[in-house]
Amino acid sequence: MSAEIARVPFLAGHIETVLVDGEPRVIVRPTLASMGLDADSQMKKLRRKSWATTVMTTVVADDGKAREMATVDLDTWSMLLANIDEQRVSEAARPLVIEYQKKSARALREFWTQGGSVNPAATREQVADLRERLDGVDRARLAQERLSAMGVAKQFGLVNDSYVQAMARTELARMNGEEPDVDPADITITCDEFLTERGVTGAALRSARTRLGKTVATLYRARYDRAPQSIKRPIDGVHRDVKVYTHRDIDLFEKAWAELGRHYDVQTAIGGAA
């Protein structure tokens, strides 16, 4: 199988790496070339070393095509750098070679074992940019988890199409750090949210949610011939299964609210305005 290139930020550039069987490897030629070194001569020296482990790895290049490229493990990379004589490289390449010898192996290990590496000399602007990118990674990971869960829920008929579409648009927008562009009719609503909007709170809310919830669920089943979907929501400090709808079915709430008022005084028995 082809390995995707992961570019590890280092100094002003990056080190090209791939993950092979769970182990990080450095793609030798482009990384040496970026240091201003003759990749061909360094590769010849490398092949003569008993400590070197060089493997041809199938890598997906920038053009999307798979190519065989020479890669080395991190131990070999460290030894390769240590054996470069800084006095025998060009004046332009020398400072970069020295920095690579000092810091690159540690940066690579931290990137692959700790999820990232931070340059101690990074400016405030660079740290802020890194934090912003990490926040983006967190948003993307959370969005992917939610989208995956919704896909499973839809597969088993636990959610309807409009809910899935609305939540997918919401999560994809959040993944990109944007405000979701969602049709107001697709915004979700629960019985608690409906009642709270009408000023029902406290003990009255606990009493009303059961009565209203049963009526709305019955009306929903009559309309769609299936039960409404459930999601986990915190209720009185405990996560419970809660029926969730969209504003496309707000008329069911209004009808259920009116039905309650026929049997007793909604204002006094539940609280809030009828």
Side-chain angles (χ1 to χ4, degrees):
M1 295 182 63
S2 301
E4 296 284 345
I5 296 175
R7 292 179 170 85
V8 179
F10 186 72
L11 301 178
H14 57 261
I15 303 172
E16 297 202 4
T17 67
V18 291
L19 200 63
V20 180
D21 296 330
E23 293 295 327
R25 303 186 68 84
V26 177
I27 305 174
V28 183
R29 287 184 179 278
T31 304
L32 288 175
S34 69
M35 296 169 60
L37 299 178
D38 183 347
D40 288 329
S41 64
Q42 293 298 327
M43 285 296 298
K44 289 178 182 178
K45 294 177 184 178
L46 196 61
R47 294 189 183 99
R48 296 196 296 267
K49 301 297 184 181
S50 60
W51 43 259
T53 302
T54 307
V55 176
M56 297 304 294
T57 303
T58 304
V59 176
V60 179
D62 290 337
D63 58 7
K65 296 181 179 179
R67 290 186 172 83
E68 292 286 317
M69 303 185 77
T71 65
V72 296
D73 58 29
L74 298 190
D75 289 336
T76 301
W77 176 248
S78 297
M79 288 293 290
L80 184 156
L81 292 175
N83 279 269
I84 296 176
D85 186 348
E86 64 186 66
Q87 299 303 321
R88 301 184 66 179
V89 299
S90 68
E91 289 286 343
R94 186 171 300 153
L96 190 57
V97 168
I98 293 173
E99 287 301 303
Y100 265 79
Q101 289 174 327
K102 290 180 178 179
K103 302 174 182 176
S104 73
R106 184 182 66 186
L108 288 169
R109 291 189 192 281
E110 290 178 353
F111 179 89
W112 287 107
T113 62
Q114 300 178 26
S117 177
V118 178
N119 182 355
T123 64
R124 289 180 179 273
E125 290 76 13
Q126 288 173 323
V127 172
D129 179 65
L130 176 61
R131 184 176 292 114
E132 183 177 343
R133 283 187 283 145
L134 289 174
D135 288 343
V137 171
D138 287 340
R139 288 195 303 269
R141 182 177 293 120
L142 180 59
Q144 288 171 344
E145 291 173 355
R146 288 174 173 169
L147 289 171
S148 177
M150 281 189 288
V152 173
K154 182 179 179 182
Q155 180 181 355
F156 288 95
L158 301 178
V159 294
N160 58 43
D161 289 342
S162 62
Y163 177 80
V164 171
Q165 292 170 8
M167 293 308 294
R169 286 196 294 271
T170 298
E171 296 303 335
L172 290 172
R174 288 173 177 168
M175 185 186 301
N176 295 318
E178 302 171 351
E179 287 297 319
D181 181 17
V182 179
D183 187 329
D186 288 327
I187 296 175
T188 59
I189 186 170
T190 64
C191 286
D192 275 24
E193 291 166 345
F194 179 86
L195 292 167
T196 301
E197 288 176 359
R198 281 153 181 76
V200 183
T201 59
L205 176 62
R206 289 191 289 274
S207 172
R209 74 161 62 104
T210 300
R211 295 183 176 91
L212 183 70
K214 288 181 178 178
T215 305
V216 174
T218 299
L219 294 171
Y220 186 93
R221 290 189 190 94
R223 172 173 290 179
Y224 296 106
D225 195 28
R226 65 172 182 269
Q229 64 213 39
S230 295
I231 61 173
K232 292 288 185 183
R233 286 283 178 87
I235 302 294
D236 298 329
V238 179
H239 276 77
R240 305 180 188 277
D241 287 328
V242 176
K243 299 292 188 299
V244 65
Y245 307 83
T246 70
H247 277 73
R248 293 185 185 279
D249 295 314
I250 196 67
D251 61 308
L252 302 184
F253 283 85
E254 299 290 357
K255 185 174 181 180
W257 183 249
E259 287 289 329
L260 290 178
R262 294 180 183 179
H263 298 291
Y264 54 87
D265 184 356
V266 175
Q267 259 185 323
T268 57
I270 295 180

